[in-house]
Amino acid sequence: STHPKQAAQNKRALQHVRPLIAEMGNRFAEVLPKTFGHHKHKMRKIPPDFRLNADSPFTTYTLLTSAPAAIHVDANGIVTGRRQKVGAFHTKDSPATPTYALMTTVAPSDDYRGGEFCLVQYGLAFKVRPGDLLMAATSKHEHCNLSPVIGLKYSIVVYLKPQLTSPKVMQNYLARNAK
């Protein structure tokens, strides 16, 4: 579990990005309404304390600072309609729809270089600049950054952790953290 001091810092940081996360959710609903609906349906199973915003289709956000990544597939879970190993966790879900991660960039200036996002199997690369919003099934497709970031760049990534929709996982978590 998170150290109380770190948890307090995380909660304060979240207050600053909540409006941006809400806007990311709005764009998600406009561009991918079916997938957004799938995320929202899953969110009904998750207690409000585990949601980023009351209406959010996301459970988790990550704030990255000039952080390049090697080729990988996110472990935030693929919803497959059959048993799928997700790290050390197994989930069974339906319909066969991958979860999506959304990423935007904020930077104190446009004075950085590198960090292009690449969807490896498609050979597509994107320079995600401030104001852009990238939506991708990162739990399904290999992706990476093509080069290190030179300068200062913040990336905000939001996604749904399907594991949290499991009543057993939630019961175990709440039992471990009961005071």
Side-chain angles (χ1 to χ4, degrees):
S1 86
T2 305
H3 186 276
K5 185 177 178 182
Q6 184 64 44
Q9 288 174 341
N10 290 347
K11 197 168 190 172
R12 284 192 301 275
L14 178 58
Q15 296 310 312
H16 294 287
V17 296
R18 259 185 219 273
L20 179 57
I21 291 170
E23 187 59 26
M24 292 168 78
N26 292 340
R27 297 301 137 241
F28 184 33
E30 287 176 16
V31 175
L32 295 169
K34 185 175 179 181
T35 305
F36 174 83
H38 174 73
H39 278 231
K40 289 288 283 187
H41 175 75
K42 292 292 171 196
M43 290 298 291
R44 293 188 328 206
K45 298 178 182 180
I46 300 174
D49 289 350
F50 291 87
R51 301 176 193 174
L52 292 178
N53 289 331
D55 296 341
S56 178
F58 314 115
T59 58
T60 308
Y61 83 103
T62 303
L63 177 61
L64 304 170
T65 305
S66 302
I71 295 174
H72 68 286
V73 174
D74 289 345
N76 57 355
I78 302 173
V79 181
T80 63
R82 66 185 196 289
R83 290 191 79 71
Q84 173 72 35
K85 187 169 182 182
V86 180
F89 177 85
H90 294 270
T91 184
K92 181 176 175 154
D93 255 315
S94 185
T97 305
T99 59
Y100 273 65
L102 281 68
M103 192 266 286
T104 191
T105 295
V106 291
S109 70
D110 206 22
D111 202 22
Y112 66 88
R113 296 187 320 272
E116 295 83 1
F117 180 92
C118 177
L119 286 167
V120 177
Q121 80 184 78
Y122 300 109
L124 297 173
F126 306 93
K127 281 187 174 183
V128 182
R129 303 310 252 171
D132 292 346
L133 180 61
L134 176 76
M135 299 178 203
T138 58
S139 62
K140 183 178 177 182
H141 300 292
E142 287 186 333
H143 57 283
C144 65
N145 296 108
L146 294 178
S147 62
V149 175
I150 309 298
L152 186 58
K153 169 186 167 185
Y154 298 102
S155 298
I156 299 171
V157 182
V158 292
Y159 53 94
L160 165 68
K161 280 189 176 180
Q163 300 92 314
L164 294 178
T165 65
S166 163
K168 185 174 182 178
V169 169
M170 289 305 297
Q171 288 171 351
N172 290 341
Y173 175 84
L174 295 170
R176 277 193 320 268
N177 292 289
K179 294 191 181 192

